[in-house]
Amino acid sequence: MADDAQADCLFCRIIAGEIPSDKVYEDTIVYAFRDINPGAPTHVLIVPKRHIRDVAAAEAADGALLLALLQAANTIAQQEGLADRGYRLVWNVGPDAGQSVFHLHLHLLGGRPMAWPPG
Ligand code: 5GP
Ligand code: ZN
């Protein structure tokens, strides 16, 4: 496990390979894997390897890390054949948004039309 990883964090454990995941993308900063309970035909979680609680806890110094997540989303959308038809990127923050895992993650959802505003 990386130095900054938290032993009780589900996504730190997934990144460390202690819990299996269906990986779709990895680079030095980012790890991405399929959501275990998909909300769309494609539902990928894009996470920084470094533990940050959520996007609200990101700081100016994390700018390159946040850009790396967005660049990974672009790459994954192309890999999944979604670049032309479109997809949705979601950051859940806090209880009203239903955040359940407190390791920053970007949801990439696609493969079906999605209502706006979301329910
Ligand atoms: P949140 O609600 O915090 O924005 O999203 C957390 C997501 O993590 C949920 O969509 C949930 O289905 C997913 N998730 C929870 N536990 C696991 C797991 O063990 N493996 C994978 N692949 N996804 C998980
Ligand atoms: Zn973590």
Side-chain angles (χ1 to χ4, degrees):
M1 217 180 235
D3 289 346
D4 65 322
Q6 304 207 352
D8 58 351
C9 171
L10 175 65
F11 287 178
C12 282
R13 297 187 66 198
I14 285 176
I15 293 160
E18 294 176 9
I19 295 172
S21 63
D22 187 358
K23 179 172 88 171
V24 298
Y25 175 88
E26 183 173 14
D27 63 32
T28 56
I29 301 172
V30 177
Y31 187 80
F33 54 101
R34 295 193 194 282
D35 196 294
I36 204 167
N37 184 22
T42 294
H43 186 170
V44 174
L45 301 171
I46 305 168
V47 311
K49 290 182 173 176
R50 180 156 66 80
H51 182 92
I52 300 175
R53 175 186 167 85
D54 57 30
V55 75
E59 300 175 346
D62 299 319
L65 180 151
L66 295 173
L67 180 60
L69 295 176
L70 295 172
Q71 289 175 320
N74 286 344
T75 300
I76 294 162
Q78 287 170 17
Q79 276 177 204
E80 298 286 320
L82 298 174
D84 290 337
R85 63 182 291 184
Y87 52 94
R88 182 166 291 165
L89 299 174
V90 176
W91 312 98
N92 286 325
V93 180
D96 273 2
Q99 184 181 5
S100 60
V101 176
F102 295 89
H103 179 132
L104 176 67
H105 52 281
L106 179 60
H107 294 258
L108 187 157
L109 297 137
R112 65 166 171 79
M114 283 172 278
W116 189 263

Coordinates of all heavy atoms in Angstrom, one line a residue, residues 31-112:
Y31 N -6.3 5.4 -11.0 CA -6.8 4.0 -11.1 C -8.3 4.1 -11.4 O -9.0 4.9 -10.8 CB -6.5 3.3 -9.8 CG -6.8 1.8 -9.9 CD1 -5.8 0.9 -10.5 CD2 -8.0 1.2 -9.4 CE1 -6.1 -0.4 -10.6 CE2 -8.2 -0.1 -9.5 CZ -7.3 -0.9 -10.1 OH -7.5 -2.3 -10.2
A32 N -8.8 3.3 -12.4 CA -10.2 3.3 -12.7 C -10.7 1.9 -12.9 O -10.0 1.0 -13.4 CB -10.4 4.1 -14.0
F33 N -11.9 1.7 -12.4 CA -12.5 0.3 -12.3 C -14.0 0.4 -12.4 O -14.6 1.4 -12.1 CB -12.0 -0.4 -11.0 CG -12.3 0.3 -9.8 CD1 -13.4 0.0 -9.0 CD2 -11.5 1.4 -9.4 CE1 -13.7 0.7 -7.8 CE2 -11.8 2.1 -8.2 CZ -12.8 1.7 -7.4
R34 N -14.6 -0.7 -12.8 CA -16.1 -0.7 -12.9 C -16.8 -0.7 -11.5 O -16.4 -1.5 -10.6 CB -16.5 -1.9 -13.7 CG -16.0 -1.9 -15.2 CD -16.6 -2.9 -16.1 NE -15.8 -2.9 -17.3 CZ -15.8 -2.0 -18.3 NH1 -16.7 -1.0 -18.2 NH2 -15.1 -2.1 -19.3
D35 N -17.8 0.1 -11.5 CA -18.6 0.1 -10.2 C -19.3 -1.2 -10.0 O -19.8 -1.8 -10.9 CB -19.7 1.2 -10.3 CG -20.3 1.6 -9.0 OD1 -21.0 0.8 -8.4 OD2 -20.1 2.7 -8.6
I36 N -19.3 -1.7 -8.8 CA -19.9 -3.0 -8.4 C -21.4 -3.0 -8.6 O -22.0 -4.1 -8.7 CB -19.4 -3.4 -7.0 CG1 -19.4 -4.9 -6.8 CG2 -20.2 -2.7 -6.0 CD1 -18.7 -5.4 -5.6
N37 N -22.0 -1.9 -8.5 CA -23.5 -1.8 -8.6 C -23.8 -0.7 -9.7 O -24.2 0.4 -9.4 CB -24.0 -1.4 -7.2 CG -25.5 -1.3 -7.2 OD1 -26.2 -1.9 -8.0 ND2 -26.1 -0.5 -6.3
P38 N -23.6 -1.1 -11.0 CA -23.7 -0.1 -12.0 C -25.0 0.6 -12.2 O -26.0 -0.1 -12.1 CB -23.3 -0.9 -13.3 CG -23.5 -2.3 -13.0 CD -23.3 -2.4 -11.5
G39 N -25.0 1.9 -12.4 CA -26.2 2.7 -12.6 C -26.4 2.9 -14.1 O -27.4 3.6 -14.5
A40 N -25.6 2.4 -15.0 CA -25.7 2.5 -16.4 C -24.9 1.4 -17.1 O -24.1 0.8 -16.4 CB -25.2 3.9 -16.8
P41 N -25.1 1.1 -18.4 CA -24.4 0.0 -19.0 C -22.9 0.2 -18.8 O -22.2 -0.8 -18.6 CB -24.8 0.2 -20.5 CG -26.2 0.7 -20.4 CD -26.2 1.7 -19.2
T42 N -22.4 1.4 -18.9 CA -21.0 1.7 -18.5 C -21.0 2.6 -17.2 O -21.6 3.6 -17.2 CB -20.2 2.4 -19.6 OG1 -20.1 1.6 -20.7 CG2 -18.8 2.8 -19.1
H43 N -20.4 2.1 -16.2 CA -20.3 2.9 -14.9 C -18.9 2.6 -14.3 O -18.6 1.5 -13.8 CB -21.4 2.5 -13.9 CG -21.4 3.3 -12.7 ND1 -22.5 3.3 -11.8 CD2 -20.6 4.3 -12.2 CE1 -22.3 4.1 -10.8 NE2 -21.1 4.8 -11.1
V44 N -18.0 3.6 -14.5 CA -16.6 3.4 -14.1 C -16.3 4.5 -13.0 O -16.8 5.6 -13.0 CB -15.7 3.7 -15.3 CG1 -14.2 3.7 -14.9 CG2 -15.9 2.6 -16.4
L45 N -15.6 4.0 -12.0 CA -15.1 4.9 -10.9 C -13.6 5.3 -11.2 O -12.8 4.4 -11.4 CB -15.2 4.2 -9.6 CG -16.6 3.8 -9.2 CD1 -16.6 2.9 -8.0 CD2 -17.6 5.0 -9.0
I46 N -13.4 6.6 -11.3 CA -12.0 7.1 -11.6 C -11.5 7.7 -10.4 O -12.1 8.7 -9.9 CB -12.1 8.1 -12.8 CG1 -12.8 7.4 -14.0 CG2 -10.7 8.6 -13.2 CD1 -13.2 8.4 -15.1
V47 N -10.4 7.2 -9.8 CA -9.9 7.6 -8.5 C -8.5 8.0 -8.6 O -7.7 7.3 -9.3 CB -10.2 6.5 -7.4 CG1 -11.6 6.0 -7.5 CG2 -9.3 5.4 -7.5
P48 N -8.0 9.0 -7.7 CA -6.6 9.2 -7.6 C -6.0 8.1 -6.7 O -6.6 7.7 -5.8 CB -6.6 10.6 -6.9 CG -7.8 10.7 -6.2 CD -8.9 9.9 -6.9
K49 N -4.8 7.7 -7.0 CA -4.1 6.7 -6.2 C -3.8 7.3 -4.8 O -3.8 6.6 -3.8 CB -2.8 6.3 -6.9 CG -3.1 5.4 -8.1 CD -1.8 4.9 -8.7 CE -2.1 3.9 -9.8 NZ -0.9 3.5 -10.6
R50 N -3.6 8.6 -4.7 CA -3.4 9.3 -3.4 C -4.8 9.5 -2.8 O -5.7 9.9 -3.4 CB -2.7 10.6 -3.7 CG -2.4 11.4 -2.4 CD -1.3 12.3 -2.5 NE -1.5 13.4 -3.5 CZ -2.3 14.5 -3.1 NH1 -2.8 14.7 -1.9 NH2 -2.4 15.5 -4.0
H51 N -4.8 9.2 -1.5 CA -6.1 9.3 -0.7 C -6.4 10.8 -0.5 O -5.7 11.5 0.2 CB -6.0 8.6 0.6 CG -7.3 8.7 1.4 ND1 -8.3 7.7 1.3 CD2 -7.8 9.7 2.2 CE1 -9.3 8.1 2.0 NE2 -9.0 9.2 2.6
I52 N -7.6 11.2 -1.1 CA -8.2 12.5 -0.8 C -9.6 12.2 -0.5 O -10.2 11.4 -1.1 CB -8.1 13.5 -2.0 CG1 -6.6 13.8 -2.4 CG2 -8.8 14.8 -1.7 CD1 -6.4 14.6 -3.6
R53 N -10.2 12.9 0.6 CA -11.5 12.5 1.1 C -12.6 12.7 0.0 O -13.4 11.8 -0.3 CB -11.8 13.4 2.3 CG -13.2 13.2 2.8 CD -13.5 14.2 3.9 NE -15.0 14.2 4.2 CZ -15.5 13.3 5.1 NH1 -14.8 12.4 5.7 NH2 -16.8 13.4 5.3
D54 N -12.6 13.8 -0.6 CA -13.6 14.1 -1.7 C -13.2 15.3 -2.4 O -12.2 16.0 -2.1 CB -15.1 14.1 -1.2 CG -15.3 15.2 -0.1 OD1 -14.5 16.2 -0.1 OD2 -16.1 15.0 0.7
V55 N -14.0 15.7 -3.5 CA -13.5 16.9 -4.3 C -13.6 18.2 -3.5 O -12.8 19.1 -3.8 CB -14.4 16.9 -5.6 CG1 -15.8 17.5 -5.3 CG2 -13.6 17.7 -6.7
A56 N -14.4 18.2 -2.4 CA -14.4 19.4 -1.6 C -13.1 19.6 -0.8 O -12.8 20.7 -0.3 CB -15.6 19.4 -0.7
A57 N -12.4 18.5 -0.6 CA -11.2 18.5 0.2 C -10.0 18.7 -0.7 O -8.8 18.8 -0.2 CB -11.0 17.2 1.0
A58 N -10.2 18.8 -2.0 CA -9.1 19.0 -2.9 C -8.6 20.5 -2.8 O -9.4 21.4 -2.5 CB -9.5 18.7 -4.4
E59 N -7.3 20.7 -2.9 CA -6.7 22.0 -2.8 C -6.0 22.4 -4.1 O -5.9 21.6 -5.0 CB -5.6 21.9 -1.7 CG -6.2 21.5 -0.3 CD -5.2 21.3 0.8 OE1 -4.0 21.2 0.4 OE2 -5.6 21.2 1.9
A60 N -5.6 23.7 -4.1 CA -5.0 24.2 -5.3 C -3.8 23.3 -5.8 O -3.7 23.1 -7.0 CB -4.5 25.6 -5.1
A61 N -3.1 22.8 -4.9 CA -1.9 21.9 -5.2 C -2.4 20.6 -5.9 O -1.5 19.9 -6.4 CB -1.1 21.7 -4.0
D62 N -3.7 20.3 -5.8 CA -4.2 19.1 -6.4 C -4.6 19.3 -7.8 O -5.3 18.4 -8.4 CB -5.3 18.5 -5.5 CG -4.9 18.2 -4.1 OD1 -3.8 17.6 -4.0 OD2 -5.7 18.5 -3.2
G63 N -4.4 20.5 -8.4 CA -4.9 20.8 -9.7 C -4.4 19.8 -10.8 O -5.2 19.3 -11.6
A64 N -3.2 19.4 -10.7 CA -2.7 18.4 -11.8 C -3.3 17.1 -11.6 O -3.7 16.4 -12.6 CB -1.2 18.3 -11.7
L65 N -3.6 16.7 -10.3 CA -4.3 15.4 -10.0 C -5.7 15.4 -10.6 O -6.2 14.5 -11.2 CB -4.2 15.2 -8.5 CG -4.9 13.9 -8.0 CD1 -4.2 13.5 -6.7 CD2 -6.3 14.2 -7.7
L66 N -6.4 16.6 -10.4 CA -7.8 16.7 -10.9 C -7.8 16.6 -12.4 O -8.7 16.0 -13.0 CB -8.5 17.9 -10.3 CG -8.7 18.0 -8.8 CD1 -9.2 19.3 -8.4 CD2 -9.6 16.9 -8.3
L67 N -6.9 17.3 -13.0 CA -6.8 17.2 -14.5 C -6.5 15.8 -15.0 O -7.1 15.4 -16.0 CB -5.7 18.2 -15.0 CG -5.6 18.3 -16.5 CD1 -6.9 18.7 -17.2 CD2 -4.5 19.2 -16.9
A68 N -5.7 15.1 -14.2 CA -5.4 13.7 -14.6 C -6.6 12.9 -14.6 O -6.8 12.0 -15.4 CB -4.3 13.1 -13.7
L69 N -7.5 13.1 -13.6 CA -8.8 12.4 -13.5 C -9.6 12.7 -14.8 O -10.2 11.7 -15.3 CB -9.5 12.7 -12.3 CG -8.9 12.3 -10.9 CD1 -9.7 12.8 -9.8 CD2 -8.7 10.8 -10.8
L70 N -9.7 13.9 -15.2 CA -10.5 14.3 -16.3 C -9.9 13.8 -17.6 O -10.7 13.3 -18.5 CB -10.7 15.8 -16.3 CG -11.4 16.4 -15.2 CD1 -11.4 17.9 -15.2 CD2 -12.9 15.9 -15.2
Q71 N -8.6 13.8 -17.7 CA -8.0 13.2 -18.9 C -8.2 11.7 -19.0 O -8.5 11.1 -20.0 CB -6.5 13.5 -18.9 CG -6.2 15.0 -19.2 CD -4.8 15.4 -19.1 OE1 -4.1 14.9 -18.2 NE2 -4.3 16.2 -19.9
A72 N -8.2 11.0 -17.8 CA -8.5 9.6 -17.8 C -9.9 9.4 -18.2 O -10.2 8.4 -18.9 CB -8.2 9.1 -16.4
A73 N -10.8 10.2 -17.8 CA -12.2 10.1 -18.2 C -12.4 10.2 -19.7 O -13.1 9.4 -20.3 CB -13.1 11.2 -17.5
N74 N -11.7 11.1 -20.3 CA -11.7 11.2 -21.8 C -11.2 9.9 -22.4 O -11.8 9.4 -23.4 CB -10.8 12.4 -22.3 CG -11.4 13.7 -22.0 OD1 -12.6 13.9 -21.7 ND2 -10.6 14.8 -22.1
T75 N -10.1 9.4 -21.9 CA -9.5 8.2 -22.5 C -10.5 7.0 -22.3 O -10.7 6.2 -23.3 CB -8.2 7.9 -21.8 OG1 -7.3 9.0 -22.0 CG2 -7.6 6.6 -22.3
I76 N -11.1 6.9 -21.1 CA -12.0 5.8 -20.9 C -13.2 5.9 -21.7 O -13.7 4.9 -22.3 CB -12.3 5.7 -19.4 CG1 -11.1 5.4 -18.6 CG2 -13.4 4.7 -19.1 CD1 -11.2 5.7 -17.1
A77 N -13.8 7.1 -21.9 CA -15.0 7.3 -22.7 C -14.7 6.8 -24.2 O -15.5 6.2 -24.8 CB -15.4 8.7 -22.7
Q78 N -13.5 7.1 -24.6 CA -13.1 6.6 -26.0 C -13.0 5.1 -26.0 O -13.5 4.4 -26.9 CB -11.8 7.3 -26.4 CG -12.0 8.7 -26.8 CD -10.7 9.5 -27.0 OE1 -9.7 8.9 -27.2 NE2 -10.8 10.8 -27.0
Q79 N -12.3 4.5 -25.0 CA -12.2 3.1 -24.9 C -13.5 2.4 -24.9 O -13.7 1.3 -25.4 CB -11.5 2.7 -23.5 CG -10.0 2.8 -23.5 CD -9.4 2.4 -22.1 OE1 -8.3 2.8 -21.8 NE2 -10.2 1.7 -21.3
E80 N -14.5 3.0 -24.2 CA -15.8 2.4 -24.0 C -16.7 2.7 -25.1 O -17.9 2.3 -25.1 CB -16.4 2.8 -22.7 CG -15.6 2.5 -21.4 CD -15.7 1.0 -21.1 OE1 -16.8 0.4 -21.2 OE2 -14.7 0.4 -20.7
G81 N -16.3 3.4 -26.1 CA -17.1 3.8 -27.3 C -18.2 4.8 -27.0 O -19.2 4.8 -27.7
L82 N -17.9 5.7 -26.0 CA -18.9 6.6 -25.6 C -18.6 8.1 -26.1 O -19.4 9.0 -25.8 CB -19.0 6.6 -24.1 CG -19.5 5.3 -23.4 CD1 -19.4 5.5 -21.9 CD2 -20.9 5.0 -23.8
A83 N -17.5 8.3 -26.7 CA -17.0 9.6 -26.9 C -18.0 10.4 -27.8 O -18.3 11.6 -27.6 CB -15.7 9.6 -27.6
D84 N -18.6 9.7 -28.8 CA -19.5 10.4 -29.7 C -20.9 10.5 -29.2 O -21.6 11.5 -29.3 CB -19.6 9.6 -31.1 CG -18.3 9.7 -31.8 OD1 -17.6 10.7 -31.6 OD2 -18.0 8.9 -32.7
R85 N -21.4 9.5 -28.5 CA -22.8 9.5 -28.1 C -23.0 10.3 -26.8 O -24.1 10.7 -26.4 CB -23.4 8.1 -28.0 CG -22.8 7.2 -27.0 CD -23.4 5.8 -27.0 NE -24.7 5.8 -26.4 CZ -25.5 4.7 -26.3 NH1 -25.0 3.6 -26.6 NH2 -26.7 4.8 -25.8
G86 N -21.9 10.4 -26.0 CA -21.9 11.1 -24.8 C -22.0 10.3 -23.5 O -22.3 9.1 -23.6
Y87 N -21.8 11.0 -22.4 CA -21.8 10.3 -21.1 C -21.9 11.4 -20.0 O -21.9 12.5 -20.3 CB -20.5 9.5 -21.0 CG -19.2 10.3 -21.3 CD1 -18.5 10.9 -20.3 CD2 -18.8 10.4 -22.6 CE1 -17.4 11.7 -20.5 CE2 -17.7 11.2 -22.9 CZ -16.9 11.8 -21.8 OH -15.8 12.5 -22.1
R88 N -21.9 10.9 -18.8 CA -22.1 11.9 -17.7 C -20.9 11.6 -16.7 O -20.6 10.5 -16.4 CB -23.4 11.7 -17.0 CG -23.6 12.7 -15.8 CD -25.1 12.6 -15.4 NE -26.0 13.2 -16.4 CZ -27.3 13.1 -16.5 NH1 -27.9 12.4 -15.5 NH2 -28.0 13.7 -17.4
L89 N -20.4 12.7 -16.2 CA -19.3 12.7 -15.1 C -19.9 13.3 -13.8 O -20.5 14.3 -13.9 CB -18.1 13.5 -15.5 CG -17.4 13.0 -16.8 CD1 -16.3 14.0 -17.1 CD2 -16.8 11.6 -16.6
V90 N -19.8 12.6 -12.7 CA -20.4 13.0 -11.5 C -19.5 12.9 -10.3 O -18.8 11.9 -10.1 CB -21.6 12.1 -11.2 CG1 -22.3 12.4 -9.8 CG2 -22.7 12.1 -12.2
W91 N -19.4 14.0 -9.5 CA -18.8 14.0 -8.2 C -19.8 14.0 -7.2 O -20.6 15.0 -7.1 CB -17.9 15.2 -8.0 CG -17.0 15.7 -9.0 CD1 -17.2 16.7 -9.9 CD2 -15.6 15.3 -9.3 NE1 -16.1 16.9 -10.7 CE2 -15.1 16.0 -10.3 CE3 -14.8 14.3 -8.6 CZ2 -13.8 15.8 -10.8 CZ3 -13.5 14.1 -9.1 CH2 -13.0 14.9 -10.2
N92 N -20.0 13.0 -6.3 CA -20.9 13.1 -5.2 C -20.1 13.6 -4.0 O -19.0 13.2 -3.7 CB -21.4 11.7 -4.9 CG -22.5 11.3 -5.9 OD1 -23.2 12.1 -6.4 ND2 -22.5 10.0 -6.2
V93 N -20.7 14.6 -3.3 CA -20.1 15.2 -2.1 C -21.2 15.2 -1.0 O -22.2 15.9 -1.2 CB -19.6 16.6 -2.4 CG1 -19.0 17.2 -1.1 CG2 -18.6 16.6 -3.5
G94 N -20.9 14.5 0.1 CA -21.8 14.6 1.2 C -23.1 13.8 1.2 O -23.4 13.2 0.2
P95 N -23.9 13.9 2.3 CA -25.0 13.1 2.4 C -26.1 13.3 1.4 O -26.7 12.3 0.9 CB -25.5 13.4 3.8 CG -24.6 14.4 4.4 CD -23.5 14.7 3.5
D96 N -26.5 14.5 1.1 CA -27.6 14.7 0.1 C -27.3 14.2 -1.3 O -28.2 13.8 -2.0 CB -27.9 16.2 0.0 CG -28.9 16.7 1.0 OD1 -29.3 15.9 1.9 OD2 -29.3 17.9 1.0
A97 N -26.0 14.1 -1.6 CA -25.6 13.6 -2.9 C -25.4 12.1 -2.8 O -25.2 11.4 -3.8 CB -24.3 14.2 -3.4
G98 N -25.5 11.5 -1.6 CA -25.4 10.1 -1.4 C -24.0 9.5 -1.4 O -23.8 8.3 -1.7
Q99 N -23.0 10.4 -1.1 CA -21.6 9.9 -1.1 C -21.5 8.8 0.0 O -21.9 9.0 1.1 CB -20.7 11.1 -0.8 CG -19.2 10.6 -0.8 CD -18.2 11.8 -0.4 OE1 -18.6 12.9 -0.1 NE2 -16.9 11.5 -0.5
S100 N -20.9 7.7 -0.4 CA -20.8 6.6 0.5 C -19.4 6.1 0.7 O -19.1 5.4 1.7 CB -21.7 5.4 0.0 OG -21.3 5.0 -1.3
V101 N -18.5 6.5 -0.2 CA -17.1 6.1 -0.1 C -16.3 7.4 0.0 O -16.4 8.3 -0.9 CB -16.6 5.2 -1.2 CG1 -15.1 4.9 -1.1 CG2 -17.4 3.9 -1.3
F102 N -15.5 7.5 1.1 CA -14.8 8.8 1.3 C -13.4 8.8 0.8 O -12.4 9.0 1.6 CB -15.0 9.2 2.8 CG -16.5 9.5 3.0 CD1 -17.3 8.5 3.4 CD2 -17.0 10.8 2.8 CE1 -18.7 8.7 3.6 CE2 -18.4 11.0 2.9 CZ -19.2 10.0 3.3
H103 N -13.2 8.4 -0.4 CA -12.0 8.5 -1.2 C -12.4 9.1 -2.5 O -13.2 8.5 -3.2 CB -11.3 7.1 -1.3 CG -10.0 7.1 -2.1 ND1 -8.9 6.5 -1.7 CD2 -9.7 7.6 -3.3 CE1 -7.9 6.6 -2.6 NE2 -8.4 7.3 -3.6
L104 N -11.9 10.3 -2.8 CA -12.3 11.0 -4.0 C -12.5 10.1 -5.2 O -11.6 9.3 -5.5 CB -11.2 12.0 -4.3 CG -11.4 12.9 -5.6 CD1 -12.6 13.8 -5.5 CD2 -10.1 13.7 -5.8
H105 N -13.6 10.2 -5.9 CA -13.9 9.4 -7.1 C -14.8 10.1 -8.0 O -15.8 10.8 -7.6 CB -14.4 8.0 -6.8 CG -15.6 8.0 -5.9 ND1 -15.5 8.2 -4.5 CD2 -16.9 7.9 -6.2 CE1 -16.7 8.1 -4.0 NE2 -17.6 8.0 -5.0
L106 N -14.5 10.0 -9.3 CA -15.3 10.6 -10.4 C -16.1 9.4 -11.0 O -15.5 8.5 -11.4 CB -14.4 11.3 -11.4 CG -15.0 11.9 -12.6 CD1 -16.0 13.0 -12.2 CD2 -13.9 12.5 -13.5
H107 N -17.4 9.5 -11.1 CA -18.3 8.5 -11.7 C -18.3 8.9 -13.2 O -18.6 10.0 -13.6 CB -19.7 8.5 -11.2 CG -19.9 8.1 -9.8 ND1 -20.3 6.9 -9.4 CD2 -19.7 8.8 -8.6 CE1 -20.4 6.8 -8.1 NE2 -20.0 8.0 -7.6
L108 N -18.1 7.9 -14.1 CA -18.3 8.0 -15.5 C -19.5 7.1 -15.9 O -19.4 5.9 -15.7 CB -17.1 7.7 -16.3 CG -17.2 8.0 -17.8 CD1 -15.7 8.1 -18.4 CD2 -17.9 6.9 -18.6
L109 N -20.6 7.6 -16.3 CA -21.8 6.9 -16.6 C -22.2 7.1 -18.1 O -22.2 8.2 -18.6 CB -23.0 7.3 -15.7 CG -22.8 7.2 -14.2 CD1 -23.2 8.4 -13.5 CD2 -23.5 5.9 -13.8
G110 N -22.5 6.0 -18.8 CA -22.9 6.1 -20.1 C -23.5 4.8 -20.7 O -23.6 3.8 -20.0
G111 N -23.9 4.9 -22.0 CA -24.4 3.7 -22.6 C -25.9 3.7 -22.7 O -26.5 2.8 -23.2
R112 N -26.6 4.7 -22.1 CA -28.0 4.9 -22.3 C -28.3 6.4 -22.1 O -27.6 7.1 -21.4 CB -28.8 4.1 -21.2 CG -28.6 4.5 -19.8 CD -29.6 3.9 -18.8 NE -29.3 4.1 -17.4 CZ -29.5 5.2 -16.7 NH1 -30.0 6.3 -17.4 NH2 -29.2 5.4 -15.5

